Amino acid sequence: MTEETPGFGESAEKPDVPSGATPDDAAPKAAEPSSEEGPAAPAGDAESKTSAQDVSLTAQLDQVRTALSERTADLQRLQAEYQNYRRRVERDKVTVKEIASANLLSELLPTLDDIGRAREHGELVGGFKSVAEALETVVAKMGLQQFGKEGEPFDPTIHEALMHSYAPDVTETTCVAILQPGYRIGERTIRPARVAVAEPQPGAQTVKGDESSAAADSPSADEAKDKETGGPDEG
């Protein structure tokens, strides 16, 4: 036979219950909320915190927009400066090219003058004529233009008067002879045309005006006859 060990069995499975206590007292009590926890935050504080965050975000967004506007303005100004620089460089290139061409062609003007004089005297013949025409073609391709014609009005910006006279058949200062033609490249004048000019005869227009006025004021022959006879005959 086996001996039962004290403390094991049914009596060991049941907890000790003090005398006079009910079975419910032996059940473990549920954890009660601690009274030490602070009270819940009111709803007004949460709303104020949210509005403060919104204000902060709005301020940051305004700062970003301001910075973006400034950077955009800087970029536009830089782009405009670059475009002006490009146009200035292109204009300077054209100017430098014109100056270089003008300097080269200025050295050839005496040769062109000799060719012109030889043509006027009928000496431009043979191989010399071919060379002269080839040279004139080359300088024309480089933009050299000759100007100065007889009968055109005198312009001191492109003409240089070497001789002066008066002529009754002109109404303004006129180029009556081209002593040396002028040359230009585009709007740049390399050498002015050297000309002889003629002006209207001094007093010519005044004399004509006086004669016409005198003719208008003088009485006609019929009127003079009427005055002599005492007036027209009455019928």
Side-chain angles (χ1 to χ4, degrees):
M1 295 178 66
T2 59
E3 296 180 0
E4 295 181 0
T5 307
F8 293 92
E10 296 179 359
S11 62
E13 295 176 0
K14 296 180 180 180
D16 295 336
V17 179
S19 59
T22 61
D24 295 336
D25 296 336
K29 295 181 179 180
E32 296 179 358
S34 175
S35 61
E36 297 178 357
E37 295 180 359
D45 295 342
E47 292 179 357
S48 61
K49 290 181 180 179
T50 304
S51 61
Q53 292 178 355
D54 293 342
V55 171
S56 177
L57 292 175
T58 303
Q60 293 179 2
L61 181 60
D62 293 338
Q63 293 178 357
V64 172
R65 288 176 177 173
T66 302
L68 179 61
S69 300
E70 293 176 354
R71 299 300 177 272
T72 303
D74 293 341
L75 180 60
Q76 292 176 348
R77 183 167 55 254
L78 182 62
Q79 185 177 6
E81 291 177 356
Y82 176 69
Q83 294 295 335
N84 293 334
Y85 169 75
R86 287 188 59 185
R87 285 193 291 267
R88 186 167 59 252
V89 169
E90 294 296 331
R91 185 171 60 250
D92 292 343
K93 286 182 179 179
V94 174
T95 303
V96 169
K97 183 178 179 181
E98 289 182 355
I99 292 174
S101 299
N103 292 336
L104 173 61
L105 295 174
S106 297
E107 300 297 329
L108 295 176
L109 294 185
T111 304
L112 296 175
D113 292 336
D114 293 338
I115 292 174
R117 283 189 290 268
R119 181 179 288 111
E120 290 177 358
H121 292 83
E123 298 176 357
L124 198 63
V125 295
F128 179 53
K129 180 179 179 181
S130 300
V131 174
E133 291 177 350
L135 179 60
E136 291 176 341
T137 302
V138 170
V139 297
K141 288 182 179 180
M142 296 180 66
L144 185 66
Q145 299 176 356
Q146 180 178 326
F147 66 90
K149 295 181 180 180
E150 295 182 4
E152 64 184 4
F154 176 75
D155 185 355
T157 60
I158 60 174
H159 296 141
E160 181 181 356
L162 300 182
M163 298 178 64
H164 177 270
S165 62
Y166 295 97
D169 56 343
V170 297
T171 58
E172 59 181 347
T173 305
T174 307
C175 300
V176 294
I178 305 300
L179 307 178
Q180 196 175 48
Y183 290 95
R184 67 164 64 97
I185 296 179
E187 299 298 328
R188 182 187 298 272
T189 300
I190 298 179
R191 187 182 72 184
R194 293 166 181 171
V195 300
V197 299
E199 291 183 350
Q201 192 72 28
Q205 295 180 351
T206 305
V207 171
K208 291 181 180 179
D210 294 342
E211 291 178 354
S212 60
S213 60
D217 295 337
S218 62
S220 62
D222 295 337
E223 292 178 353
K225 184 178 180 180
D226 292 342
K227 287 182 180 180
E228 291 177 357
T229 57
D233 297 336
E234 293 182 359

